[in-house]
Amino acid sequence: MNFLTEFAEYSKGTEAPENYHVWTAIGTMSAVLGGRVWLKYGRFKVLANTYIVLLGPPGNGKTTSMGFGQKILRAIPGINLSAQAQTKEALVKDI
């Protein structure tokens, strides 16, 4: 099985729409790859960076879906996550 299929099975049975889980899985893969994997495109390196925003009304599962990705990322050594709201001082300390 591939990661997307495994993630869909892992996150099944929640109130979040399936497309939230798909995009959360893609964002999770991007965070794991970081700058370590890239494609050469002419003179440029194309990194796996993604910037994903889950949009929807309150209470429809955005946080639930993101929680699954965060749980996976927290279990991987070397992956650092920041708080959703953080002071400049705390961010500098984390870095």
Side-chain angles (χ1 to χ4, degrees):
M1 288 192 157
N2 65 41
F3 181 75
L4 291 174
T5 305
E6 290 286 333
F7 193 90
E9 186 64 30
Y10 172 62
S11 60
K12 187 167 61 173
T14 67
E15 75 279 4
E18 184 180 345
N19 62 341
Y20 284 180
H21 294 311
V22 170
W23 283 106
T24 298
I26 291 169
T28 302
M29 287 188 296
S30 173
V32 170
L33 294 174
R36 293 180 293 273
V37 176
W38 50 272
L39 298 172
K40 184 86 168 148
Y41 187 73
R43 293 183 291 175
F44 303 99
K45 284 184 184 179
V46 179
L47 301 173
N49 296 341
T50 58
Y51 302 91
I52 298 167
V53 177
L54 300 179
L55 296 175
N60 75 333
K62 297 180 296 289
T63 303
T64 300
S65 183
M66 289 187 298
F68 285 109
Q70 290 172 349
K71 186 174 181 180
I72 291 170
L73 293 174
R74 282 192 171 88
I76 301 172
I79 302 288
N80 298 315
L81 300 176
S82 67
Q84 290 182 1
Q86 192 169 25
T87 65
K88 291 181 279 186
E89 294 79 13
L91 178 61
V92 169
K93 184 179 175 187
D94 286 346
I95 293 174

